[in-house]
Amino acid sequence: TRQAVQATAGAGFALVVGQLVSGQRWYWAVGATWWIFVNTASRGETLVRGFRRVLGTVIGICLGFLVAVPVHGAPVPTAVLVAVAVFGIFYTAAVSYTWMMLCVTLLAELLYGLLGVLSPGLLALRIAETGVGALGAALAVLFVLPVTTHAITDAWIQRALRCVHACTAEAAARLAGSATSDPAPRVAELEQLLGRVRLSVAPLVHPLNPMPARKARARRVLALLDDCAREVRGLVAVAADPEASHDVRLTAACRRVEASVEALTTSRPEPVHRPAEPPAEPALAHLHGLERALADLAEPLRAPSGSRLVGA
């Protein structure tokens, strides 16, 4: 696959340069390159992950000077700190890649302390080899079969918008009296898709992103997609009420939502419908909020090429 080719190319670079840095610890660079590619799908994700790996390693090395070096391989305190580091790895893995790498680096320092080979020179070498590995990954995603952040993000946003329409259609059918319509699975799918959108957009909202306009657009899109999800959840909650009655305006509103999604997910220039004042009925009120969020999404998603949501 494309990612395997990129990882192989990056690892080859890391192997050559890593051996020039150290004939014994070159595998640190190769391993860093391979692990940077895990769970990444675009150029931006890989670059951000490489930065976080280097940052976590540097912080872990600094912490090692304060913790691992003074312990100097003493069995009891080392065992306690190793347990803390292992717990930290599993606890932070799903929260922050930077903090996970900090814990991994600290664990490695403690183990090298037990072996009696821990030294400032070894810690500096760890930073250097990790930097080589991150550089190899960056060069690979930039020049070997690159996939832009725009392509990945756009695909996930379109899937999320289509799921919004599917949730709306199921809820409207349920309100119309259909016993077979169940919007709950669609809502769960929407939550998963929004999580994937946040992951793909993460490079654009990173503090080091040098393009403030695109960062602002990305945050705007995330906020509006969250608004869509909130209105869909409210609509589904109303549809689950057995006392909810059918309103003929639901069908028209659902058709407008479908048209808005169609306009946002295709290259057609049709304007997205912007609703008037919200109605009092709960179901129609949620559909009104959904229509307004979809209308507001048209601006950031249809930005000119020079200031579009994501880069090429």
Side-chain angles (χ1 to χ4, degrees), residues 57-309:
T57 300
V58 171
I59 298 175
I61 294 298
C62 295
L63 185 61
F65 278 109
L66 299 176
V67 177
V69 173
V71 169
H72 199 60
V76 175
T78 298
V80 174
L81 291 172
V82 164
V84 172
V86 171
F87 173 79
I89 291 172
F90 286 97
Y91 181 80
T92 60
V95 179
S96 170
Y97 189 70
T98 301
W99 288 105
M100 187 191 75
M101 285 312 306
L102 184 156
C103 296
V104 169
T105 303
L106 182 60
L107 176 62
E109 292 170 314
L110 293 168
L111 295 178
Y112 278 115
L114 281 176
L115 296 174
V117 297
L118 184 64
S119 66
L122 184 66
L123 299 181
L125 182 61
R126 177 84 177 188
I127 295 177
E129 294 287 4
T130 302
V132 170
L135 178 60
L139 292 175
V141 296
L142 288 174
F143 300 109
V144 180
L145 304 177
V147 173
T148 64
T149 306
H150 167 68
I152 299 298
T153 302
D154 184 65
W156 285 111
I157 289 176
Q158 290 198 22
R159 289 185 61 181
L161 289 174
R162 292 191 183 100
C163 189
V164 165
H165 171 256
C167 291
T168 304
E170 290 283 341
R174 183 69 174 267
L175 286 167
S178 174
T180 59
S181 298
D182 184 11
R186 293 290 189 178
V187 173
E189 180 185 357
L190 178 60
E191 295 295 341
Q192 294 178 351
L193 290 173
L194 289 181
R196 197 58 188 82
V197 170
R198 294 187 190 96
L199 183 61
S200 65
V201 174
L204 302 173
V205 297
H206 194 273
L208 296 182
N209 183 1
M211 295 171 286
R214 291 178 180 174
K215 184 188 299 186
R217 289 182 184 278
R219 288 175 174 167
R220 177 68 170 160
V221 168
L222 289 177
L224 290 172
L225 287 176
D226 286 337
D227 290 343
C228 290
R230 183 177 64 253
E231 298 296 347
V232 166
R233 287 193 294 268
L235 178 63
V236 171
V238 172
D241 183 2
E243 300 298 326
S245 59
H246 171 59
D247 191 314
V248 294
R249 292 174 290 176
L250 287 173
T251 302
C254 189
R255 287 175 179 171
R256 291 195 299 269
V257 168
E258 181 179 4
S260 297
V261 171
E262 185 69 18
L264 290 173
T265 56
T266 62
S267 57
R268 296 186 308 170
E270 285 87 346
V272 179
H273 176 265
R274 182 175 294 276
E277 293 301 319
E281 295 82 351
L284 287 171
H286 287 300
L287 280 170
H288 173 275
L290 181 57
E291 288 182 76
R292 183 169 294 277
L294 291 172
D296 291 339
L297 269 171
E299 179 184 355
L301 292 182
R302 291 176 174 175
S305 59
S307 59
R308 65 196 305 174
L309 171 60

